[in-house]
Amino acid sequence: MTPSAPSSVPPVPPWNVHRLPRADGSVFLVTGGNAGIGYFVAEQLSATGATVVLGSRDPAKAERATASIRGRVAGARVRAVRLDLADIPSLRAVADSLEVERLDAVVHNAGVALDDPPRQETGDGHELMFGTNHLGHFALTRWLMPLLSAAPAARVVTMGSFAAKSERLDLDDLESRQDYRPKRTYGRSKLAQMYFGVELDRRLRAVGSTVTSVVVHPGGALDSLTPSRPPFHVRGTGARLGAAPAALLLQGKHAGAWPAVRAVLDTAVGGGRLWGPRVIGLRGEPRPEPLWNHLADSFVAARLWDVSRELTGVEPRVTPGQLQDPTGGAEAHPRPRS
């Protein structure tokens, strides 16, 4: 009998998405936690006893989300801070607005998607999807890093998208100035986020940081398969019946949250990994999967990092008690300073 080839993905311990470990005393920030997958990430993390902070640019929506979580999770410690990823200069103040001494995890979930032309820009002059989904999170991580480094073993969890699997970055046209197509630009903005998450972990490991970066994606998550959370999401009978065939391959946004929640809570989840749904990457409980071939391209990741640093104005920084700030290093793979 011929022995089977070893798997490229090592086995992981059992995990129950409905019975999460306690995380009392921890503090988690979820960007875009007021709606969609981000809301369910926040709701599920709130059930662990942690303090969960929703980052949202809309205070009214954030208040509705926090009220919903408190109504569903007894004793939930949840609150909101204003966070606008399209306004890069404003992100410097987010760390102070958290009013905490440490941050145990941030889930980079927020994002925008445009279905139709024309191309739009942020106030800083960046293409809206690339500027919000990628550059905003890149800059935010820079300002959160002191709080993350103050935690014993913090996590940066980047929410990618299955739409990024078929895309490739154009390093000469990252902001789609020459050729703008909304769906492709969205997929590329999420791919840029995922490259950032992978490259961030390389840099964290290079400086011996206790912070870990993990990349996840939600598979195929549809509103029509998502349980109701009134008033901001109500699924009627017609939507439930119409979505029944899709449930064979896809899932709701509550399940799309599972990979991110596991990446935050499970100490067995290693850095630089990709996590997604178990069933062909589209539905089911979270599991590790091989890093997509193009996502493992360290040259593209390093070049994207350099351009992102130039576009956001993030600079290298060394502070007492910390090694080089991994979100601003000038080298592709920095070494600890002696």
Side-chain angles (χ1 to χ4, degrees):
M1 180 181 295
T2 303
S4 58
S7 170
S8 59
V9 178
V12 293
W15 182 262
N16 188 335
V17 297
H18 302 294
R19 189 171 295 174
L20 301 175
R22 299 295 297 178
D24 301 88
S26 297
V27 181
F28 305 137
L29 170 64
V30 182
T31 72
N34 59 278
I37 292 172
Y39 168 84
F40 286 99
V41 171
E43 182 183 280
Q44 291 167 28
L45 290 176
S46 293
T48 68
T51 295
V52 179
V53 184
L54 312 186
S56 173
R57 63 181 177 181
D58 188 324
K61 290 182 179 179
E63 181 56 35
R64 288 197 293 269
T66 55
S68 175
I69 292 173
R70 289 176 183 141
R72 303 187 70 87
V73 180
R77 297 178 176 88
V78 59
R79 56 188 175 87
V81 296
R82 191 176 189 283
L83 188 155
D84 185 355
L85 292 164
D87 183 2
I88 289 176
S90 72
L91 299 175
R92 185 169 187 167
V94 172
D96 288 338
S97 71
L98 293 175
E99 298 181 338
V100 295
E101 295 182 356
R102 76 167 199 264
L103 184 63
D104 295 278
V106 57
V107 179
H108 287 330
N109 162 81
V112 294
L114 302 180
D115 293 327
D116 298 303
R119 182 181 178 275
Q120 297 182 36
E121 292 187 349
T122 68
D124 304 317
H126 302 299
E127 189 282 316
L128 184 61
M129 291 184 279
F130 179 78
T132 303
N133 302 352
H134 170 60
L135 292 179
H137 282 116
F138 182 92
L140 177 64
T141 306
R142 160 68 177 82
W143 303 116
L144 294 180
M145 192 54 66
L147 292 177
L148 291 163
S149 298
R155 299 288 176 96
V156 177
V157 178
T158 298
M159 179 70 77
S161 171
F162 201 74
K165 190 170 187 178
S166 59
E167 296 296 343
R168 301 295 184 272
L169 292 184
D170 182 347
L171 293 173
D172 296 318
D173 190 27
L174 287 170
E175 302 209 51
S176 302
R177 298 183 187 278
Q178 300 170 25
D179 186 8
Y180 174 74
R181 304 178 206 174
K183 290 184 178 179
R184 187 183 69 176
T185 297
Y186 171 76
R188 288 182 174 182
S189 75
K190 297 302 290 184
L191 178 58
Q193 263 193 282
M194 297 172 81
Y195 269 118
F196 163 62
V198 173
E199 180 67 7
L200 175 62
D201 196 74
R202 289 194 190 107
R203 292 169 181 254
L204 291 167
R205 301 286 71 75
V207 299
S209 175
T210 57
V211 182
T212 298
S213 176
V214 185
V215 179
V216 303
H217 71 86
L222 302 180
D223 279 331
S224 56
L225 294 172
T226 302
S228 293
R229 291 295 186 271
F232 56 86
H233 173 66
V234 178
R235 183 178 63 155
T237 302
R240 288 199 300 271
L241 295 176
L248 296 174
L249 287 176
L250 306 175
Q251 60 189 359
K253 293 185 176 180
H254 63 301
W258 291 343
V261 170
R262 181 165 188 177
V264 168
L265 297 173
D266 188 356
T267 58
V269 173
R273 301 288 298 280
L274 177 62
W275 285 71
R278 182 177 301 278
V279 182
I280 61 173
L282 290 174
R283 68 182 302 272
E285 298 203 1
R287 56 132 190 170
E289 56 186 84
L291 205 63
W292 303 336
N293 289 337
H294 59 300
L295 195 54
D297 190 327
S298 60
F299 171 81
V300 172
R303 179 64 186 132
L304 173 66
W305 190 283
D306 290 340
V307 173
S308 301
R309 188 181 65 247
E310 294 167 6
L311 293 174
T312 60
V314 171
E315 296 294 337
R317 187 165 70 104
V318 176
T319 58
Q322 285 183 265
L323 295 170
Q324 174 130 358
D325 183 341
T327 62
E331 300 177 64
H333 299 281
R335 298 178 182 275
R337 296 194 174 193
S338 57

